[in-house]
Structure formats: C-alpha cells, structure tokens
Amino acid sequence: RKEVEQDPGPFNVPEGATVAFNCTYSNSASQSFFWYRQDCRKEPKLLMSVYSSGNEDGRFTAQLNRASQYISLLIRDSKLSDSATYLCVVNPTGTASKLTFGTGTRLQVTL
Amino acid sequence: NAGVMQNPRHLVRRRGQEARLRCSPMKGHSHVYWYRQLPEEGLKFMVYLQKENIIDESGMPKERFSAEFPKEGPSILRIQQVVRGDSAAYFCASSDMPGNTEAFFGQGTRLTVV
C-alpha cells in the first residue's frame, strides 16, 4: 500500500464548478498535512495546510479526518487558472524533513 | 529575498558521466532537502542536510549518489556514472528551522541521461 494515495484523475470540470479531491494516508502517527499545487514542469508550491478542525482559504477548503486517515480539498467556483496537479502531502515527523507526497490529482478547468 | 535557487535548470549527461546539481537555499535557511520526481510519479525524499551535516539520507540510493552542504556555498547533489533511470526532476527545498513544517521548493533541475 502506498503511503499517500490519490486518484490521479484527470478531473475535467467547467469554469464555476465545485470539485473535490480526496487522499488517504497509511501512517496513523503522521503529524501534519498539506495540499501543494504543481503546475506542469514546475516546482510544487504550498497551497494550504490541513487541520483537524478544517480550514478555508478563499475558494479552497481542506479537511482532515484522522480516524479515517483521510484528507480532502474542495475547490469552489473553479477558475481556468486552477488547472494544475494537486499534491496531497503528509509529514510523518513533525519537521520539514521527509515530506511524503502523493502522486497528485490532475485538474483541468475548461470554458 | 530570492527564493531557493537551483542550477542548472536542465542538464543532459551521457551514460557514465557525472551530474552535479546545485541548490542555494533561501536567505536565512540552513536546512536543505533534496527530492526526486520520476516521470508520472510523486516526489520522493532523498536526503536532509544542515550546514556541513547529513541529517537523514534514508532516501538516497546506496551507490553513485552523494550530497553535501558545505559551510560556504550551495548544497550539491552528485550522481556518479549516471544511467538512464536517473533521468528525473530533482527538487531542492529549504526551511529555516527543523520545527517549521513549511519547506520552500526551488524550480528544480531536469536531468536527462542519453
């Protein structure tokens, strides 16, 4: 079983749609959780951290369910510029070292 | 404040040659991490270094790969006798302290072995 599993997609959605990505992780002792965004042939960039209480940043909402070892990302009112690969990232150690990346979910937003 | 700087951006090597990838962390950051992304795969941790010390190299292949972060100058990831399977994007990230869980990534070096 992979340490972090994501549906690779692609998710093709029209502009304005709401789309949700899910991710599961295997290490129940993992300390912190993130969503990163990676554009084609570019570096990953932090989108948002994920907390048990859930957190929202504009059109983006992230949720963590520790009991089910499950993380989600919801994007509302999708924009063309949201087209990218979204990486679920788990940090098992509580420090910045050894981030464990999922393979990513590809999103394509169309007109 | 410049971000994490990696060079070269693209590197082509013939099988058997050496590849040297350089990473200058963000100003004030003394913790450097190297990751490798194979085509169609997620990023995989390779090594974590502080100035002059290797802290965790559990993700490094046992042979041909080495990393350093000298007191002065950039961190270097060195791959000796490259093979086609080494073709990948190599990303460097840095952070200011081990307790800070956010790492900032450089733009990566794309290594192609021909």
Side-chain angles (χ1 to χ4, degrees):
Chain A
R1 183 185 174 189
K2 288 183 180 177
E3 292 180 81
V4 178
E5 294 211 57
Q6 295 182 251
D7 180 344
F11 284 59
N12 294 298
V13 302
E15 258 194 314
T18 296
V19 61
F21 305 137
N22 303 317
C23 164
T24 57
Y25 61 94
S26 61
N27 184 349
S28 59
S30 294
Q31 299 283 322
S32 48
F33 310 87
F34 310 91
W35 283 100
Y36 275 72
R37 170 190 169 135
Q38 186 174 28
D39 291 284
C40 187
R41 304 183 73 79
K42 298 284 183 65
E43 76 274 23
K45 292 185 178 176
L46 179 65
L47 181 65
M48 57 198 305
S49 300
V50 188
Y51 306 112
S52 296
S53 54
N55 49 302
E56 188 173 311
D57 183 1
R59 298 180 295 106
F60 298 83
T61 301
Q63 293 276 356
L64 166 64
N65 183 324
R66 283 190 182 268
S68 302
Q69 294 177 211
Y70 170 96
I71 305 161
S72 66
L73 177 68
L74 183 77
I75 306 175
R76 290 181 299 279
D77 189 23
S78 299
K79 312 289 185 194
L80 291 174
S81 57
D82 294 334
S83 299
T85 297
Y86 290 83
L87 307 173
C88 177
V89 183
V90 173
N91 186 335
T93 65
T95 68
S97 62
K98 296 184 80 168
L99 297 176
T100 303
F101 285 78
T103 53
T105 298
R106 186 153 171 249
L107 172 66
Q108 183 67 51
V109 182
T110 57
L111 286 170
Chain B
N1 183 14
V4 178
M5 303 299 291
Q6 288 188 249
N7 67 83
R9 293 287 307 279
H10 300 275
L11 182 62
V12 179
R13 284 287 177 265
R14 294 185 186 281
R15 280 178 293 172
Q17 290 184 318
E18 179 179 286
R20 281 186 177 238
L21 288 62
R22 288 177 290 279
C23 169
S24 296
M26 284 181 72
K27 188 175 180 181
H29 287 191
S30 59
H31 303 267
V32 166
Y33 318 86
W34 284 93
Y35 288 80
R36 176 166 65 173
Q37 187 172 31
L38 293 168
E40 306 302 322
E41 293 191 17
L43 279 78
K44 301 287 187 207
F45 168 80
M46 298 182 75
V47 62
Y48 164 33
L49 309 105
Q50 291 180 28
K51 283 285 187 182
E52 300 185 273
N53 289 306
I54 296 174
I55 307 301
D56 182 347
E57 55 181 348
S58 58
M60 288 278 270
K62 294 286 184 267
E63 297 176 349
R64 303 188 296 108
F65 284 72
S66 62
E68 62 176 9
F69 189 15
K71 188 176 179 181
E72 301 292 336
S75 176
I76 306 286
L77 179 68
R78 183 181 176 206
I79 311 171
Q80 295 177 290
Q81 300 174 332
V82 295
V83 301
R84 289 230 172 99
D86 297 333
S87 296
Y90 292 83
F91 290 98
C92 169
S94 73
S95 68
D96 57 357
M97 60 182 71
N100 184 349
T101 57
E102 182 172 359
F104 296 86
F105 282 83
Q107 292 181 303
T109 293
R110 296 199 173 271
L111 172 66
T112 302
V113 179
V114 297

